[in-house]
Amino acid sequence: MTQSHPEESAQIQLPELEIGIRQLQQRHNKLMATSMLFGCIGLIGLVCLFVQQDVVFHLMGVGLRIEQLHVPFALAEQLQHAMDQPNYLWNLLLWFGWLLLKIISAFIGAFIVVHFLKKIPYFRTKMHSFLQKLLAWLIAVILIGSGLSIVQAQLAEDEASYTQKMIAYSDNIHQSEMYQYLQESQQPATVQAYLLAQTALLHKPVDRVVAQVYANQLVLAEQHDPAFMQYGLKPEYLWTIQNQALGQALSPTALRVQPQINQAVQWSVWAEYALWSMMIIAVVLSLLIYGIAQHLKQRLLRIADQLKNSMS
Protein backbone atom coordinates (compact mmCIF):
# COMPACT_ATOMS: atom_id res chain seq x y z
CA MET A 1 0.00 0.00 0.00
CA THR A 2 1.51 3.35 -1.15
CA GLN A 3 1.74 6.35 1.12
CA SER A 4 1.69 9.95 -0.18
CA HIS A 5 4.65 12.12 0.76
CA PRO A 6 4.02 15.27 2.82
CA GLU A 7 5.27 17.42 -0.04
CA GLU A 8 2.69 15.87 -2.38
CA SER A 9 -0.06 16.36 0.23
CA ALA A 10 0.94 19.99 0.67
CA GLN A 11 0.87 20.51 -3.08
CA ILE A 12 -2.63 19.03 -3.22
CA GLN A 13 -3.91 21.22 -0.33
CA LEU A 14 -2.19 24.42 -1.48
CA PRO A 15 -4.77 25.39 -4.17
CA GLU A 16 -7.60 24.77 -1.69
CA LEU A 17 -5.84 26.91 0.92
CA GLU A 18 -5.30 29.70 -1.59
CA ILE A 19 -8.99 29.62 -2.53
CA GLY A 20 -9.99 29.70 1.14
CA ILE A 21 -7.64 32.60 1.89
CA ARG A 22 -8.95 34.51 -1.12
CA GLN A 23 -12.53 33.98 0.05
CA LEU A 24 -11.64 35.17 3.56
CA GLN A 25 -9.92 38.23 2.09
CA GLN A 26 -13.01 39.05 0.04
CA ARG A 27 -15.18 38.62 3.13
CA HIS A 28 -12.85 40.93 5.06
CA ASN A 29 -13.06 43.60 2.33
CA LYS A 30 -16.86 43.37 2.26
CA LEU A 31 -17.02 43.73 6.05
CA MET A 32 -14.73 46.78 5.92
CA ALA A 33 -16.86 48.33 3.16
CA THR A 34 -20.03 47.66 5.19
CA SER A 35 -18.44 49.16 8.30
CA MET A 36 -17.47 52.25 6.29
CA LEU A 37 -21.01 52.50 4.89
CA PHE A 38 -22.57 52.47 8.36
CA GLY A 39 -19.94 54.99 9.47
CA CYS A 40 -20.97 57.30 6.63
CA ILE A 41 -24.64 56.87 7.60
CA GLY A 42 -23.74 57.87 11.15
CA LEU A 43 -21.83 60.90 9.84
CA ILE A 44 -24.79 61.93 7.67
CA GLY A 45 -27.05 61.59 10.71
CA LEU A 46 -24.72 63.86 12.68
CA VAL A 47 -24.79 66.50 9.92
CA CYS A 48 -28.58 66.28 9.67
CA LEU A 49 -28.86 66.90 13.42
CA PHE A 50 -27.48 70.39 12.89
CA VAL A 51 -29.87 71.28 10.05
CA GLN A 52 -33.00 69.27 10.81
CA GLN A 53 -34.71 72.07 12.72
CA ASP A 54 -34.36 74.52 9.83
CA VAL A 55 -35.55 71.87 7.36
CA VAL A 56 -38.63 71.00 9.46
CA PHE A 57 -39.53 74.66 9.99
CA HIS A 58 -39.08 75.43 6.29
CA LEU A 59 -41.27 72.46 5.45
CA MET A 60 -43.97 73.95 7.70
CA GLY A 61 -43.52 77.37 6.05
CA VAL A 62 -42.28 79.05 9.23
CA GLY A 63 -38.90 80.06 10.64
CA LEU A 64 -37.23 81.08 13.86
CA ARG A 65 -35.09 83.66 12.05
CA ILE A 66 -35.52 85.93 9.06
CA GLU A 67 -33.32 84.39 6.38
CA GLN A 68 -34.85 85.78 3.18
CA LEU A 69 -36.56 89.04 2.38
CA HIS A 70 -40.27 88.84 1.71
CA VAL A 71 -41.68 91.65 -0.43
CA PRO A 72 -45.50 92.07 -0.10
CA PHE A 73 -47.57 92.37 -3.25
CA ALA A 74 -48.61 95.87 -2.22
CA LEU A 75 -45.13 97.08 -3.06
CA ALA A 76 -44.24 98.54 -6.43
CA GLU A 77 -44.15 95.91 -9.18
CA GLN A 78 -40.64 96.87 -10.22
CA LEU A 79 -39.12 96.07 -6.84
CA GLN A 80 -41.31 93.04 -6.36
CA HIS A 81 -39.96 91.40 -9.54
CA ALA A 82 -36.41 92.46 -8.80
CA MET A 83 -36.37 90.81 -5.40
CA ASP A 84 -35.91 87.07 -4.94
CA GLN A 85 -39.14 85.90 -3.39
CA PRO A 86 -38.58 83.01 -0.96
CA ASN A 87 -40.22 79.69 -1.77
CA TYR A 88 -39.73 77.35 1.16
CA LEU A 89 -40.81 74.20 -0.70
CA TRP A 90 -38.47 74.98 -3.59
CA ASN A 91 -35.63 75.81 -1.18
CA LEU A 92 -36.20 72.54 0.65
CA LEU A 93 -36.21 70.50 -2.57
CA LEU A 94 -33.14 72.39 -3.76
CA TRP A 95 -31.32 71.67 -0.50
CA PHE A 96 -32.10 67.95 -0.69
CA GLY A 97 -31.19 67.95 -4.40
CA TRP A 98 -27.76 69.41 -3.67
CA LEU A 99 -27.28 67.00 -0.75
CA LEU A 100 -28.15 64.03 -2.97
CA LEU A 101 -25.91 65.33 -5.77
CA LYS A 102 -22.97 65.77 -3.39
CA ILE A 103 -23.40 62.30 -1.86
CA ILE A 104 -23.75 60.47 -5.18
CA SER A 105 -21.04 62.47 -6.94
CA ALA A 106 -18.61 62.16 -4.04
CA PHE A 107 -19.11 58.41 -3.56
CA ILE A 108 -19.08 57.42 -7.24
CA GLY A 109 -16.49 60.03 -8.22
CA ALA A 110 -14.14 58.78 -5.48
CA PHE A 111 -14.28 55.24 -6.89
CA ILE A 112 -13.46 56.59 -10.35
CA VAL A 113 -10.57 58.66 -8.98
CA VAL A 114 -9.09 55.68 -7.11
CA HIS A 115 -9.52 53.50 -10.20
CA PHE A 116 -7.52 55.89 -12.38
CA LEU A 117 -4.92 56.55 -9.67
CA LYS A 118 -4.14 52.82 -9.55
CA LYS A 119 -3.16 53.04 -13.23
CA ILE A 120 -0.39 55.54 -12.37
CA PRO A 121 2.80 53.67 -11.35
CA TYR A 122 3.59 55.95 -8.42
CA PHE A 123 0.14 55.57 -6.82
CA ARG A 124 -0.04 51.87 -7.71
CA THR A 125 3.01 51.24 -5.52
CA LYS A 126 1.46 53.27 -2.69
CA MET A 127 -1.97 51.58 -2.66
CA HIS A 128 -1.34 47.91 -1.95
CA SER A 129 -3.55 47.30 1.06
CA PHE A 130 -7.28 47.80 1.38
CA LEU A 131 -6.81 50.43 4.09
CA GLN A 132 -4.58 52.51 1.80
CA LYS A 133 -7.21 52.35 -0.94
CA LEU A 134 -9.89 53.23 1.62
CA LEU A 135 -7.88 56.26 2.77
CA ALA A 136 -7.46 57.44 -0.82
CA TRP A 137 -11.20 56.96 -1.38
CA LEU A 138 -12.10 58.99 1.72
CA ILE A 139 -9.77 61.83 0.69
CA ALA A 140 -11.38 61.87 -2.78
CA VAL A 141 -14.88 61.94 -1.20
CA ILE A 142 -13.93 64.93 0.98
CA LEU A 143 -12.35 66.82 -1.92
CA ILE A 144 -15.26 66.22 -4.32
CA GLY A 145 -17.87 67.04 -1.65
CA SER A 146 -16.01 70.22 -0.66
CA GLY A 147 -15.73 71.31 -4.29
CA LEU A 148 -19.46 70.88 -4.86
CA SER A 149 -20.20 72.76 -1.61
CA ILE A 150 -18.12 75.69 -2.87
CA VAL A 151 -20.04 75.66 -6.17
CA GLN A 152 -23.37 75.57 -4.28
CA ALA A 153 -22.33 78.48 -2.07
CA GLN A 154 -21.16 80.52 -5.07
CA LEU A 155 -24.44 79.95 -6.93
CA ALA A 156 -26.46 80.93 -3.84
CA GLU A 157 -24.34 84.06 -3.44
CA ASP A 158 -24.90 85.05 -7.08
CA GLU A 159 -28.68 84.57 -6.75
CA ALA A 160 -28.86 86.70 -3.59
CA SER A 161 -26.50 89.45 -4.78
CA TYR A 162 -29.25 91.94 -5.75
CA THR A 163 -31.18 91.46 -2.54
CA GLN A 164 -28.00 91.83 -0.48
CA LYS A 165 -27.21 95.06 -2.29
CA MET A 166 -30.66 96.46 -1.49
CA ILE A 167 -30.53 95.71 2.23
CA ALA A 168 -26.82 96.38 2.88
CA TYR A 169 -25.74 99.22 5.15
CA SER A 170 -22.83 99.88 7.49
CA ASP A 171 -23.92 101.92 10.51
CA ASN A 172 -27.42 103.25 9.91
CA ILE A 173 -30.38 101.64 8.16
CA HIS A 174 -31.01 105.01 6.47
CA GLN A 175 -27.93 104.25 4.37
CA SER A 176 -29.56 101.20 2.75
CA GLU A 177 -31.00 101.31 -0.74
CA MET A 178 -34.14 99.72 0.66
CA TYR A 179 -34.79 102.64 3.02
CA GLN A 180 -34.09 105.18 0.28
CA TYR A 181 -36.38 103.41 -2.19
CA LEU A 182 -39.21 103.20 0.33
CA GLN A 183 -38.90 106.89 1.13
CA GLU A 184 -38.84 107.92 -2.54
CA SER A 185 -41.77 105.70 -3.51
CA GLN A 186 -43.82 106.88 -0.51
CA GLN A 187 -44.96 103.42 0.51
CA PRO A 188 -47.42 103.06 3.42
CA ALA A 189 -45.75 103.23 6.82
CA THR A 190 -46.86 99.66 7.61
CA VAL A 191 -45.19 98.26 4.49
CA GLN A 192 -42.06 100.27 5.26
CA ALA A 193 -41.93 98.92 8.81
CA TYR A 194 -42.43 95.37 7.51
CA LEU A 195 -39.51 95.60 5.04
CA LEU A 196 -37.19 97.62 7.26
CA ALA A 197 -37.68 95.22 10.20
CA GLN A 198 -36.57 92.40 7.90
CA THR A 199 -33.66 94.52 6.64
CA ALA A 200 -32.46 95.08 10.22
CA LEU A 201 -32.80 91.37 11.08
CA LEU A 202 -30.90 90.34 7.92
CA HIS A 203 -28.07 92.73 8.75
CA LYS A 204 -24.80 91.12 9.87
CA PRO A 205 -24.71 91.35 12.84
CA VAL A 206 -28.44 91.62 13.54
CA ASP A 207 -29.46 95.24 14.15
CA ARG A 208 -31.78 94.31 17.01
CA VAL A 209 -32.48 97.82 18.30
CA VAL A 210 -33.72 99.02 14.91
CA ALA A 211 -35.62 95.76 14.38
CA GLN A 212 -37.44 96.29 17.70
CA VAL A 213 -38.53 99.77 16.65
CA TYR A 214 -40.08 98.56 13.40
CA ALA A 215 -41.51 95.39 15.01
CA ASN A 216 -43.34 97.56 17.55
CA GLN A 217 -44.61 99.75 14.71
CA LEU A 218 -46.07 96.63 13.08
CA VAL A 219 -47.81 95.61 16.30
CA LEU A 220 -49.38 99.08 16.60
CA ALA A 221 -50.24 99.20 12.90
CA GLU A 222 -52.26 95.99 13.17
CA GLN A 223 -54.38 97.69 15.82
CA HIS A 224 -54.82 101.07 14.12
CA ASP A 225 -54.29 100.64 10.36
CA PRO A 226 -57.62 99.64 8.70
CA ALA A 227 -55.80 98.52 5.54
CA PHE A 228 -53.33 96.30 7.43
CA MET A 229 -54.67 93.03 6.00
CA GLN A 230 -54.63 94.39 2.44
CA TYR A 231 -50.87 94.87 2.16
CA GLY A 232 -50.06 91.19 1.69
CA LEU A 233 -47.91 90.79 4.79
CA LYS A 234 -47.21 87.15 5.61
CA PRO A 235 -48.46 86.09 9.06
CA GLU A 236 -45.50 83.68 9.33
CA TYR A 237 -43.09 86.57 8.75
CA LEU A 238 -44.92 88.74 11.27
CA TRP A 239 -44.47 85.98 13.87
CA THR A 240 -40.77 85.59 13.05
CA ILE A 241 -40.12 89.36 13.11
CA GLN A 242 -41.81 89.79 16.47
CA ASN A 243 -40.29 86.65 17.98
CA GLN A 244 -36.77 87.48 16.82
CA ALA A 245 -36.90 91.20 17.62
CA LEU A 246 -39.19 91.29 20.68
CA GLY A 247 -38.77 87.78 22.06
CA GLN A 248 -42.43 86.82 21.58
CA ALA A 249 -45.37 87.22 19.21
CA LEU A 250 -47.72 90.02 20.31
CA SER A 251 -50.16 90.85 17.52
CA PRO A 252 -53.27 88.74 16.81
CA THR A 253 -52.13 87.83 13.28
CA ALA A 254 -48.77 86.60 14.56
CA LEU A 255 -50.37 84.69 17.42
CA ARG A 256 -52.53 82.76 14.94
CA VAL A 257 -49.31 81.23 13.59
CA GLN A 258 -48.34 79.83 17.01
CA PRO A 259 -50.05 76.42 16.46
CA GLN A 260 -47.90 75.95 13.33
CA ILE A 261 -44.82 76.80 15.36
CA ASN A 262 -45.78 74.34 18.10
CA GLN A 263 -46.33 71.60 15.54
CA ALA A 264 -43.01 72.38 13.85
CA VAL A 265 -41.25 72.21 17.24
CA GLN A 266 -42.88 68.81 17.93
CA TRP A 267 -41.85 67.46 14.52
CA SER A 268 -38.34 68.78 15.10
CA VAL A 269 -38.12 66.91 18.41
CA TRP A 270 -39.29 63.69 16.75
CA ALA A 271 -36.81 64.17 13.92
CA GLU A 272 -34.03 64.74 16.44
CA TYR A 273 -34.89 61.51 18.29
CA ALA A 274 -35.01 59.59 14.99
CA LEU A 275 -31.65 60.99 13.85
CA TRP A 276 -29.99 60.25 17.20
CA SER A 277 -31.34 56.68 17.06
CA MET A 278 -30.15 56.24 13.47
CA MET A 279 -26.73 57.66 14.28
CA ILE A 280 -26.20 55.52 17.39
CA ILE A 281 -27.34 52.33 15.64
CA ALA A 282 -25.15 53.09 12.61
CA VAL A 283 -22.06 53.80 14.76
CA VAL A 284 -22.59 50.67 16.89
CA LEU A 285 -23.02 48.50 13.78
CA SER A 286 -19.99 50.14 12.17
CA LEU A 287 -17.80 49.41 15.20
CA LEU A 288 -19.18 45.88 15.59
CA ILE A 289 -18.59 45.00 11.93
CA TYR A 290 -15.15 46.63 12.06
CA GLY A 291 -14.28 44.43 15.05
CA ILE A 292 -15.41 41.32 13.15
CA ALA A 293 -13.33 42.41 10.15
CA GLN A 294 -10.26 42.91 12.34
CA HIS A 295 -10.77 39.47 13.91
CA LEU A 296 -10.98 38.00 10.40
CA LYS A 297 -7.82 39.86 9.41
CA GLN A 298 -5.93 38.37 12.37
CA ARG A 299 -7.17 34.94 11.34
CA LEU A 300 -5.87 35.53 7.82
CA LEU A 301 -2.48 36.54 9.20
CA ARG A 302 -2.30 33.40 11.34
CA ILE A 303 -3.18 31.21 8.37
CA ALA A 304 -0.55 32.94 6.26
CA ASP A 305 2.07 32.43 8.99
CA GLN A 306 1.15 28.75 9.39
CA LEU A 307 1.29 28.25 5.64
CA LYS A 308 4.68 29.98 5.47
CA ASN A 309 6.05 27.84 8.31
CA SER A 310 4.74 24.60 6.75
CA MET A 311 6.37 25.46 3.43
CA SER A 312 9.76 26.29 5.00
Side-chain angles (χ1 to χ4, degrees), residues 39-50:
C40 291
I41 292 174
L43 182 61
I44 292 172
L46 179 62
V47 173
C48 289
L49 276 173
F50 290 100

Side-chain angles (χ1 to χ4, degrees), residues 10-29:
Q11 291 177 355
I12 294 173
Q13 295 178 3
L14 187 58
E16 297 178 358
L17 285 173
E18 290 178 344
I19 293 173
I21 291 173
R22 193 157 49 244
Q23 290 176 343
L24 288 175
Q25 184 64 51
Q26 291 174 351
R27 191 177 302 170
H28 171 264
N29 292 344

Side-chain angles (χ1 to χ4, degrees), residues 33-100:
T34 305
S35 174
M36 182 183 65
L37 176 62
F38 279 113
C40 291
I41 292 174
L43 182 61
I44 292 172
L46 179 62
V47 173
C48 289
L49 276 173
F50 290 100
V51 300
Q52 60 86 17
Q53 187 179 63
D54 288 336
V55 172
V56 171
F57 272 74
H58 285 181
L59 185 63
M60 296 291 294
V62 294
L64 296 174
R65 299 173 303 279
I66 295 294
E67 297 176 356
Q68 292 177 297
L69 189 70
H70 173 249
V71 181
F73 62 77
L75 200 57
E77 186 175 351
Q78 179 182 0
L79 183 59
Q80 184 183 359
H81 289 319
M83 288 295 182
D84 297 321
Q85 296 297 292
N87 186 319
Y88 286 114
L89 181 58
W90 169 250
N91 289 337
L92 180 66
L93 293 175
L94 191 62
W95 185 86
F96 275 114
W98 270 105
L99 179 63
L100 188 62

Side-chain angles (χ1 to χ4, degrees), residues 3-257:
Q3 293 183 352
S4 61
H5 295 288
E7 293 82 358
E8 295 177 354
S9 177
Q11 291 177 355
I12 294 173
Q13 295 178 3
L14 187 58
E16 297 178 358
L17 285 173
E18 290 178 344
I19 293 173
I21 291 173
R22 193 157 49 244
Q23 290 176 343
L24 288 175
Q25 184 64 51
Q26 291 174 351
R27 191 177 302 170
H28 171 264
N29 292 344
K30 289 179 180 178
L31 287 171
M32 289 297 295
T34 305
S35 174
M36 182 183 65
L37 176 62
F38 279 113
C40 291
I41 292 174
L43 182 61
I44 292 172
L46 179 62
V47 173
C48 289
L49 276 173
F50 290 100
V51 300
Q52 60 86 17
Q53 187 179 63
D54 288 336
V55 172
V56 171
F57 272 74
H58 285 181
L59 185 63
M60 296 291 294
V62 294
L64 296 174
R65 299 173 303 279
I66 295 294
E67 297 176 356
Q68 292 177 297
L69 189 70
H70 173 249
V71 181
F73 62 77
L75 200 57
E77 186 175 351
Q78 179 182 0
L79 183 59
Q80 184 183 359
H81 289 319
M83 288 295 182
D84 297 321
Q85 296 297 292
N87 186 319
Y88 286 114
L89 181 58
W90 169 250
N91 289 337
L92 180 66
L93 293 175
L94 191 62
W95 185 86
F96 275 114
W98 270 105
L99 179 63
L100 188 62
L101 176 64
K102 285 188 280 190
I103 292 174
I104 294 175
S105 300
F107 275 62
I108 298 177
F111 282 114
I112 296 173
V113 169
V114 172
H115 173 74
F116 281 105
L117 284 178
K118 288 192 295 184
K119 295 182 179 295
I120 302 174
Y122 174 79
F123 289 104
R124 187 165 58 244
T125 59
K126 297 292 183 180
M127 292 191 295
H128 284 301
S129 69
F130 176 78
L131 287 179
Q132 289 172 327
K133 295 175 183 177
L134 176 61
L135 179 61
W137 182 85
L138 286 174
I139 293 174
V141 167
I142 294 172
L143 291 176
I144 294 173
S146 300
L148 287 173
S149 296
I150 293 173
V151 173
Q152 180 186 7
Q154 185 62 47
L155 290 174
E157 183 178 345
D158 292 341
E159 290 177 359
S161 59
Y162 185 84
T163 302
Q164 293 298 326
K165 181 182 177 183
M166 287 290 297
I167 66 176
Y169 63 93
S170 55
D171 301 321
N172 194 309
I173 198 170
H174 294 177
Q175 300 169 343
S176 67
E177 293 187 18
M178 174 63 74
Y179 180 87
Q180 295 170 14
Y181 174 84
L182 292 173
Q183 293 299 309
E184 293 171 0
S185 60
Q186 298 181 343
Q187 296 296 325
T190 300
V191 175
Q192 291 191 34
Y194 181 73
L195 286 168
L196 292 175
Q198 294 180 67
T199 300
L201 292 172
L202 287 170
H203 187 264
K204 305 297 181 183
V206 171
D207 196 345
R208 192 170 303 278
V209 174
V210 174
Q212 288 174 350
V213 172
Y214 289 115
N216 282 318
Q217 287 184 19
L218 285 171
V219 174
L220 293 175
E222 185 168 350
Q223 300 173 6
H224 302 104
D225 188 350
F228 184 86
M229 302 304 295
Q230 301 174 13
Y231 297 131
L233 313 185
K234 274 193 171 184
E236 295 83 1
Y237 266 69
L238 291 172
W239 185 93
T240 305
I241 289 170
Q242 294 173 28
N243 184 72
Q244 191 176 354
L246 306 176
Q248 59 180 330
L250 299 176
S251 69
T253 302
L255 288 172
R256 282 198 292 270
V257 181

